[in-house]
Amino acid sequence: MELDRRARRPLRAQLEDGLREAVRSGRLRAGTRLPASRALAGDLAVSRRMVVDAYAQLLAEGYLVARAGAGTFVAEAAAAEPLPPADPPPRALAFDFFPGYPDLATFPRRAWLRAIRETLREAPDQALGYPDPRGAPELRRALAGHLRRVRGVVADPEAVIVCSGVAQGFALLGRALAGSRIAVEDPSLPVHREILAGGGAELVALPVDEHGARVQELRALAGAGEPIGAVVVTPAHQAPTGVALSSSRRAELLGWARETGAVIVEDDYDAEYRYDRPPLGALQGLAPERVLYMGTVSKTLGPALRLGWMVAPGHMRTEILRQKMLADHGSPTIDQLALARMLEGGAYDSHLRQARRRYQARRDALVAAVAAHLPGARVTGVAAGLAAIVRLGRPTDALGLLNAAREHGVGVYPLGYAYMEPRPWDDGLVLGYANLAEPAIDEGIRRLAVALAELPPGPAPT
Ligand SMILES: Cc1ncc(COP(=O)(O)O)c(C=O)c1O
């Protein structure tokens, strides 16, 4: 074993690394007796204390065992089966229009690091115990204020429940409403439907057109079976078609909920981004006792944080909190406190201001690229969010196009897969633009056009 006296890594750490590596690689076999600490210290010209400490550390990690009077040996378990090599990461697509991402390269690492550092410096020891299942009070307070200011949400910190993203919100809700019928927009995110249904609710399809969810069909849906207990909608920016729920339908939806006692679940997942005009406020602000509001940092900071929130009507809180308690005892406190700092200190909004400008330019680039490379196609939906629908102008074999595009390094996401009855032939693609720079958007769409031209002709335009 060699120790590098000029390296920055301390000698003791180098000694531990060397021993650990020798065991892991099998150079030191199970049962091998290690040299006495004095002898190894002499060989390496280090203090005996350093060797004793390194042995003690590897004993604690289970690589070595000490036998009284006999010495220190390589542990049997440590030298067992070598770990299989890690799976290679999936091949990244150079032009991936995955709809779910903000620009991951501009995650505010510095601001987040500062917030985490300050949290660790200042949080009392008590904060490191089991969390409040509703969420850290500091974050619930910060969110209540933020949502009131930017989305018109009527939120008292007592009504806020912090969860692991909207995904966990749906899981908790599905369990809280087990046995009920829940209407969900069709199309919508298949994974969210699966999560909701996994809790034991029955899902019914609520069709969507260019004015958003066809809420006028709720009565007929309810008439066809048990009453509808809840309806899940994305009013600001329908996911995935990108349309906004019209004012008359917003009013009709609220009227229906008041009349029937059903709950409206408002998934406000990307309402921070509206490029052509100020966004309409959240529905929740008009009927806080009829609307359960959900939001997330997945589109503002990044999905890796797994942080989201619900603002729940009074009558649903106890059951949702019980489900949260059963699921995980509460969300991780340190990240919650860091987010509270970013919200209160302005770093969150300052990041969003820059992000909005960047994504608007990227959306414009997508519209321009479609016009330049895909004659006959058009971008539909309102100028909002992080993804747009591109209508190709003729039904297209979704799987064929997906594979052909992949061959050109392009990731595309067929709209047809988002329906409850998937449509293998459809003319829509859901294309996320926020995680690609403008030149990549242009090149990606150019390549998509090449892939499209390679497909065998399909049915005539409808
Ligand atoms: C409709 C919709 N809601 C919510 C989310 C965010 O989910 P989460 O907070 O679990 O990351 C997404 C992300 O893609 C989405 O498309």
Side-chain angles (χ1 to χ4, degrees), residues 100 165-167 189 192 234 239 267 269 296 298-299 306:
V166 164
L189 234 63
H192 285 173
T234 44
D267 177 3
Y269 67 107
T296 176
S298 291
K299 313 287 179 186
R306 306 314 301 132

Side-chain angles (χ1 to χ4, degrees), residues 332-343:
T333 302
I334 293 171
D335 286 0
Q336 292 188 57
L337 295 178
L339 178 59
R341 278 178 187 273
M342 285 190 57
L343 282 162

